[in-house]
Amino acid sequence: MRNSFGNIFTLTTFGESHGMAVGGVVDGMPAGVDIDLDFIQNELNRRRPGQSKITTSRNEPDKVEIFSGVFEGKSTGTPIGFAVYNTNQHSNDYDNMRGLFRPSHADFGYFSKYGIRDHRGGGRSSARITIARCVGGALAKLALRKLNIDIKAYTSQVGTIELDRDYTKYDLNAIEDNIVRCPDSDKAKQMEKLISDVKADGDTIGGVIACVIKGCPVGLGEPEFSKLHAQLGSAMLGINAVKGFEYGEGFHGVAARGSQQNDVFTSSDGTITMKSNHSGGVQGGISNGQDIYFRVAFKPVATLLMKQNTVDINGESTTITARGRHDPCVLPRAVPIVEAMAAMVILDNYLINKTIHI
């Protein structure tokens, strides 16, 4: 089982949803970066359960403890070890799932692969494991601050309620102004109502998170097997419940002609830029200095609080009615996870790029 992410800036994670703790080790963090513990905790607070009426009611403080790699408020360049302890597990809620497979969940795949599974909250397949990603991403963001690279993700669609694809029409500083994390206040209210209605039915709903990276320098990414957009796609598709990734115009641009899609070069005082950004900030697998923007599709959560047909571990037909505390829609809590994964990809590639020239 691969539990490490990255090349130079790496994150190795551990823990289960209902175990003692979730944590990790970040290696390759540059030395001398100011480590703002309040900022790291706030990133976890954005992801934590129980933060609003449209998220799971599991009440966890998600208080991070850092064990190493930080001295007098700065990174030392050595591994940063950390943990977040689980304090509000209701493991008995999952007793009826011990021998059953939840439809469209990771249960069957894990059991088939390993011959054993932790049925309590999904164990290692739980979205609670993304705590470690948020800590790693927060550390990466602190390093990216020094480079003036800013990453913002937001909920752009829930069900059939969606924003315009053009992110420049919105104030991305307004993302935290509502519990859906949508920069359009009117659409946010509609999304909130839809999620509440779905939750009342014991059902779930999916949607799309958009992300914008500003200030990324030219030259990040490799021209062949480690294209920047491919690394971003891999990072996003590794998040629980993600079913799709597109960058730039993506699938929306396939009906256009090249004359409409090409980003024409221009020069001002010797600085080369482009008149448009249909490419989404990446061309030939390498960042071109424009805003990088992409969209990530999340499926409806697999665990439903309603009766479903399924089979048990012996292949016998039965039914399952899940209990416990589950998100009716993962998007509001997944926004900081998308940002975290993007931050780690960008920082890792920045550090790799420092090795290109002597």
Side-chain angles (χ1 to χ4, degrees), residues 12 27 46 48 63 78 98 144 149 157 161 171 188 227 243 271 284 318 336 342:
T12 300
D27 204 358
R46 296 171 70 210
R48 70 179 290 272
K63 179 71 174 178
T78 59
R98 179 182 291 271
L144 293 175
I149 298 174
Q157 181 174 345
I161 303 168
D171 178 7
K227 290 176 167 59
K243 285 294 186 180
T271 299
T318 184

Side-chain angles (χ1 to χ4, degrees), residues 12-13 35 42 67 82 87 123 129 149 219 235 246 264:
T12 300
T13 71
I35 302 301
N42 185 65
F67 305 128
F82 64 89
T87 63
I129 306 305
I149 298 174
E246 64 174 6
V264 176

Side-chain angles (χ1 to χ4, degrees), residues 48 120 165 289 306:
R48 70 179 290 272
R120 304 166 304 165
R165 292 176 59 92
M306 59 172 61

Side-chain angles (χ1 to χ4, degrees), residues 191-230:
M191 292 174 178
E192 181 182 335
K193 184 180 185 305
L194 174 58
I195 296 171
S196 295
D197 291 345
V198 166
K199 181 180 181 180
D201 292 338
D203 214 333
T204 61
I205 191 76
V208 174
I209 290 176
C211 185
V212 182
I213 304 173
K214 291 182 174 291
C216 186
V218 178
L220 303 193
E222 306 302 315
E224 184 59 17
F225 293 116
S226 293
K227 290 176 167 59
L228 185 59
H229 59 271

Side-chain angles (χ1 to χ4, degrees), residues 238-253:
I239 299 172
N240 306 55
V242 169
K243 285 294 186 180
F245 170 84
E246 64 174 6
Y247 75 102
E249 294 295 334
F251 291 101
H252 184 74

Side-chain angles (χ1 to χ4, degrees), residues 237 239 354 356:
L237 290 165
I239 299 172
K354 301 296 283 185
I356 298 301

Side-chain angles (χ1 to χ4, degrees), residues 1 3 13-23 58 60 84-87 89 91 110 117-132:
M1 183 182 290
N3 297 291
T13 71
F14 65 83
E16 297 84 29
S17 177
H18 285 234
M20 179 180 293
V22 174
R58 179 170 175 168
E60 294 275 7
V84 172
Y85 293 95
N86 296 324
T87 63
Q89 309 98 311
S91 298
Y110 265 64
R117 88 175 203 269
D118 184 348
H119 66 284
R120 304 166 304 165
R124 189 71 175 153
S125 69
S126 169
R128 185 153 180 78
I129 306 305
T130 58
I131 284 174

Side-chain angles (χ1 to χ4, degrees), residues 54-67:
I54 58 171
T55 65
T56 171
S57 59
R58 179 170 175 168
N59 187 21
E60 294 275 7
D62 284 356
K63 179 71 174 178
V64 63
E65 293 189 28
I66 294 181
F67 305 128

